[in-house]
Amino acid sequence: MTMERLQNRVSRRDAVRLSALAGAGAIAATGASTLARAQDSTPTPGEDGTPVLDQTRAPGAQVPASEVFAQAYPYSLPLLPYELGDLDPTISEETNEIHYNTLHANYIDGLNAALQEVTVVQGLTIEELLQNLALVPNDLVVNSQGVVKPLQEFVATNAGGHYNHSLWWASMSPDGGGEPTGAIAEAITTAFGDFATMQEAFRLGALGNTGSGWVWLVADAAGALTIVTTPDQDNPIATDQGFPIFGIDNWEHNYFLDYGAARGDFIDAWWDVVDWEFIGSRYDRFMTTGSS
Ligand code: MN3
């Protein structure tokens, strides 16, 4: 749907103050009358009455990387155990600087803004939120850039963006590289035959993902591994494609400065910074707890 058509769909009927959405449970219980009363009794902030998301950044908010998947709203950037320049030359400081401080931070700001009034999901971890996106009200809202979308879509994109990038940073180390060991290594051999075949499958997955997106190693409930791709910031948990053990961000912002249009070269080079210790632990934890 074009932006113009989407905006044309914004009518007085849709113009519900976000504060009226203080919990999907309340809305589901009381139905349209609650929304109608809120509309009648409160001024509407958007130009055409569409609620505006207040995207105000909490300055300097960061959480230790080990706690990012246990954190509930408001979400924050994971503190990295390495400097942004430490992954050079595989990924330059300039690329990581924009990626971490601007792009990842923007997803967190967008997510926190979108969930300000949605108390029903504020106690959820980022993983639980992706498993329960249906709890988020689906009324149209407008963000700080003037984009109008259902609130649930804003949350899905920004929650995926936060989760995906948190996993991205955690999956790398300046001391990375080499080959996996332990249970993850055995699972890779079972699924692909050998490590090199899995690497090739990653490259082909990334090249086949012609737009912006991610290529993932996912596990099913029994721990069996496959490679899947997702567009944009979709996360395999939300799209029911398995549990993401790790993924490679193949949006152009992640490689264009360092590799130009050669996405395949970036994927091949990335294995020099992959942190198999983290990934092996994540796989082991998933096999015992079913989560991050
Ligand atoms: Mn990215």
Side-chain angles (χ1 to χ4, degrees), residues 68-120:
V68 71
F69 289 108
Q71 186 186 34
Y73 170 92
Y75 303 97
S76 29
L77 271 174
L79 279 163
L80 303 186
Y82 49 83
E83 300 294 324
L84 292 172
D86 288 351
L87 302 178
D88 187 82
T90 306
I91 305 175
S92 67
E93 181 172 7
E94 191 180 6
T95 294
N96 280 339
E97 162 69 27
I98 297 165
H99 205 183
Y100 178 80
N101 282 318
T102 301
L103 301 177
H104 187 173
N106 282 347
Y107 286 120
I108 295 168
D109 294 344
L111 180 59
N112 288 337
L115 295 183
Q116 247 165 15
E117 310 283 349
V118 192
T119 53
V120 70

Side-chain angles (χ1 to χ4, degrees), residues 99 103 107 165 168 214 233 249 251 253-254:
H99 205 183
L103 301 177
Y107 286 120
H165 288 93
W168 170 250
W214 292 70
Q233 293 302 339
D249 179 345
W251 283 57
H253 62 239
N254 204 20

Side-chain angles (χ1 to χ4, degrees), residues 13-39 51 114 117-121 133-141 151-152:
R13 189 176 55 78
D14 297 311
V16 179
R17 257 186 83 87
L18 197 57
S19 59
L21 308 179
I27 290 168
T30 54
S33 62
T34 303
L35 301 182
R37 275 202 307 277
Q39 187 177 326
E117 310 283 349
V118 192
T119 53
V120 70
V121 297
L133 288 170
L135 291 176
V136 176
N138 215 20
D139 305 81
L140 290 175
V141 293
L151 181 63
Q152 203 175 94

Side-chain angles (χ1 to χ4, degrees), residues 143-276:
N143 76 357
S144 57
Q145 288 144 347
V147 178
V148 180
K149 275 187 192 176
L151 181 63
Q152 203 175 94
E153 274 186 41
F154 274 122
V155 172
T157 297
N158 288 295
H162 176 41
Y163 187 109
N164 299 349
H165 288 93
S166 296
L167 185 54
W168 170 250
W169 303 118
S171 301
M172 298 186 289
S173 164
D175 305 317
E179 297 202 8
T181 57
I184 183 76
E186 289 169 26
I188 287 171
T189 303
T190 301
F192 301 97
D194 57 41
F195 178 50
T197 304
M198 185 203 74
Q199 290 176 301
E200 175 66 6
F202 252 92
R203 194 173 67 86
L204 291 175
L207 291 175
N209 202 352
T210 48
S212 299
W214 292 70
V215 54
W216 304 93
L217 185 73
V218 298
D220 69 13
L225 300 176
T226 49
I227 287 175
V228 301
T229 60
T230 55
D232 304 323
Q233 293 302 339
D234 284 1
N235 180 287
I237 290 173
T239 53
D240 221 13
Q241 290 173 283
F243 180 82
I245 303 300
F246 70 94
I248 300 181
D249 179 345
N250 56 58
W251 283 57
E252 287 185 351
H253 62 239
N254 204 20
Y255 64 84
F256 212 83
L257 282 174
D258 304 323
Y259 298 86
R263 179 186 286 183
D265 289 353
F266 163 63
I267 302 295
D268 289 343
W270 185 74
W271 304 105
D272 286 342
V273 294
V274 62
D275 185 350
W276 286 117

